[in-house]
């Protein structure tokens, strides 16, 4: 080393700051870091004055906990962010964290947050991951009231599929709610179904219902003589018609042969199957017409009851 050369030191990283988010001003006030050290590469900024060690993975859940626990104490995690805290992935890492403040609190504008002011009943709030969050039922109703179009039904279906909310109870609550978004909430809950297994299946089901087609049974299990044949995405058992959504997984190695075998079993059991792709959802008129033709083609016959569940 040359005489007088500056020695490069690693940035200060106090161990108590490496386990989770912290307020930068608090760390500096306690002498754990200087302002210059806080700006080093060892730390990443989550929100204004909220930091995290660079080695810790950033998730939407972590950002929601940091926002409600450090940035806006007293705020309640709500909407899609609350769903994430309950294990339902409705928001991505970089999506705005959704919070609710009491009506008397001053409005807040912070990058990365979506803050509303509303009164929340005490039994609609529960501790989750160390911060207050709306309960699963209150979260589902909130999503039904405020999300647009089919996105609302998709979100509510995802909450219902978690098993944390009863559809009958949710519909009863939607029927009683008043105020902004109440009519939308009732319409969304009327379309919701906990048996849906993917967002695209929900969108497909809602499209067919809004077109006036008979209500299909999601995730119907076809059996013949007690023997399992297949489980189909949407079914009209009395007509033995099924609609199947083809996702990307059907392109996996060996899947094509398995799909063919499955289709053969369904056809041998007297079922007619309409396959739908993502591209078909962008041509709703053609898709509805195709399903309508399939239902009409078999409605003229009088099949016996289709075994299934």
């Amino acid at each position: 080393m040359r005489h007088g050369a500056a020695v490069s030191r690693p940035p200060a990283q106090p161990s108590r700051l490496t386990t989770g988010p912290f307020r930068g001003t608090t760390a500096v006030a306690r002498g754990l870091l200087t302002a210059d050290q806080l700006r080093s590469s060892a730390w990443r900024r989550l929100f204004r004055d909220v930091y995290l060690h660079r080695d810790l993975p950033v998730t939407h859940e972590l950002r929601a906990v940091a926002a409600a626990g450090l940035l806006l104490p007293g705020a309640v995690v709500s909407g899609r962010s609350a769903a994430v805290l309950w294990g339902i992935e409705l928001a991505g890492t970089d999506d705005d964290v959704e919070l609710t403040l009491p009506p008397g609190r001053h409005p807040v504008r912070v990058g990365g947050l979506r803050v509303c002011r509303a009164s929340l009943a005490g039994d609609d709030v529960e501790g989750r991951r160390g911060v207050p969050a709306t309960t699963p039922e209150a979260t589902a109703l909130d999503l039904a009231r405020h999300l647009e179009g089919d996105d609302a039904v998709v979100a509510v279906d995802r909450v219902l599929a978690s098993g944390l909310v009863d559809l009958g109870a949710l519909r009863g609550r939607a029927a009683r709610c008043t105020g902004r978004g109440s009519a939308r909430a009732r319409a969304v809950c009327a379309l919701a179904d906990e048996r849906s297994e993917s967002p695209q299946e929900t969108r497909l089901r809602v499209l067919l219902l809004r077109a006036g087609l008979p209500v299909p049974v999601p995730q119907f299990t076809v059996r013949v003589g007690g023997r399992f044949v297949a489980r189909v995405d949407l079914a009209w058992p009395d007509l033995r018609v099924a609609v199947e959504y083809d996702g990307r997984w059907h392109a996996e190695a060996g899947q094509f042969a398995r799909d063919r075998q499955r289709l053969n079993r369904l056809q041998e059991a007297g079922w007619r199957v309409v396959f739908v792709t993502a591209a078909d959802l962008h041509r709703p008129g053609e898709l509805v017409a195709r399903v309508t033709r399939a239902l009409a083609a078999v409605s003229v016959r009088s099949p016996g009851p289709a075994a299934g569940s």
Side-chain angles (χ1 to χ4, degrees):
M1 181 185 301
R2 274 187 329 202
H3 180 70
V7 178
S8 177
R9 297 179 179 177
Q13 302 178 49
S15 59
R16 71 176 71 179
L17 300 180
T18 61
T19 59
F22 62 92
R23 292 293 295 255
T25 51
T26 301
V28 171
R30 293 178 177 174
L32 299 174
L33 294 171
T34 66
D36 286 340
Q37 290 170 336
L38 185 60
R39 289 191 289 268
S40 77
S41 61
W43 315 104
R44 69 175 77 190
R45 184 176 179 269
L46 293 178
F47 301 106
R48 182 185 63 203
D49 195 38
V50 178
Y51 295 83
L52 184 74
H53 190 266
R54 64 186 175 195
D55 291 339
L56 294 177
V58 178
T59 64
H60 190 88
E61 177 181 313
L62 182 144
R63 294 177 63 242
V65 170
L70 294 172
L71 189 59
L72 290 179
V76 176
V77 182
S78 54
R80 286 175 291 191
S81 296
V84 170
L85 293 193
W86 290 105
I88 307 158
E89 295 300 321
L90 290 182
T93 297
D94 296 327
D95 289 337
D96 286 351
V97 171
E98 299 179 33
L99 301 174
T100 297
L101 286 171
R105 288 283 294 271
H106 194 275
V108 176
R109 287 189 175 89
V110 177
L113 299 184
R114 183 178 301 168
V115 182
C116 70
R117 289 183 293 174
S119 296
L120 295 173
D123 55 2
D124 280 341
V125 179
E126 188 173 332
R128 187 70 175 170
R129 305 290 189 248
V131 296
T134 51
T135 63
E137 185 176 279
T139 299
L141 188 62
D142 186 31
L143 295 168
R145 291 174 72 121
H146 296 110
L147 292 185
E148 298 288 340
D150 293 351
D151 287 344
V153 186
V154 168
V156 173
D157 274 6
R158 297 282 298 279
V159 176
L160 292 169
S162 72
L164 298 173
V165 177
D166 176 75
L167 178 55
L170 182 63
R171 284 175 173 167
R173 181 163 177 175
R176 297 189 301 272
C177 75
T178 58
R180 184 178 180 183
S182 299
R184 178 185 299 170
R186 286 188 282 274
V188 168
C189 291
L191 290 170
D193 195 303
E194 70 274 13
R195 293 168 291 183
S196 182
E197 291 194 345
S198 75
Q200 292 296 67
E201 287 178 26
T202 294
R203 295 182 190 282
L204 173 58
R205 186 188 78 246
V206 170
L207 170 64
L208 299 178
L209 290 174
R210 285 181 171 151
L213 295 184
V215 179
V217 179
Q219 298 304 320
F220 182 79
T221 299
V222 178
R223 301 181 189 275
V224 174
R227 178 179 60 87
F228 174 82
V229 175
R231 188 169 70 152
V232 295
D233 294 337
L234 298 173
W236 290 269
D238 290 343
L239 298 176
R240 292 178 185 160
V241 173
V243 173
E244 287 276 82
Y245 179 78
D246 268 338
R248 292 182 178 180
W249 66 271
H250 290 270
E252 295 176 359
Q255 189 60 47
F256 180 79
R258 292 191 290 272
D259 283 348
R260 284 293 185 183
Q261 294 168 1
R262 181 171 175 274
L263 177 59
N264 288 338
R265 293 196 304 270
L266 283 166
Q267 290 177 334
E268 289 168 3
W271 281 71
R272 181 177 183 134
V273 182
V274 178
F275 290 98
V276 176
T277 66
D280 292 325
L281 291 176
H282 294 289
R283 299 187 293 271
E286 295 177 18
L287 171 56
V288 169
R290 188 149 50 96
V291 176
T292 300
R293 287 194 297 269
L295 293 171
V298 296
S299 62
V300 294
R301 74 189 187 199
S302 299
S309 60

